Amino acid sequence: HFLVCAASNNKLILFDISTGYFIRETELDITIKQVLFDEVHNLIFAISRKKIMAFRLDFQIIASYEQENEFTCISSCSSELWCEFP
């Protein structure tokens, strides 16, 4: 499968580009600022000004965190190994 995640102000939308099929969409209670699709771990991250949410591909929320300060960016690492500093 070749999945693509798109977003509007408050919706996440998932497509399978290899078949051309729309898979699903969900409305969120936040105004989406940025989205990150981590295809290595099959997770979707969305941030608003002050909240970050992590979703599985079925759009079930697996984590959510809200803070007082605004988020400025979102990033992910594809490594499955976490190494301590030497």
Side-chain angles (χ1 to χ4, degrees), residues 14-60:
L14 196 61
F15 296 93
D16 182 346
I17 297 300
S18 63
T19 62
Y21 289 125
F22 161 81
I23 297 176
R24 66 181 47 90
E25 73 178 359
T26 188
E27 282 195 47
L28 304 178
D29 63 351
I30 61 170
T31 300
I32 300 169
K33 183 176 177 181
Q34 291 183 38
V35 171
L36 174 70
F37 183 30
D38 182 350
E39 65 275 359
V40 173
H41 301 101
N42 289 328
L43 297 174
I44 299 168
F45 300 91
I47 61 171
S48 67
R49 286 181 45 234
K50 297 185 177 189
K51 189 172 188 177
I52 184 168
M53 302 173 81
F55 302 88
R56 296 187 318 210
L57 294 182
D58 60 1
F59 290 148
Q60 293 298 309

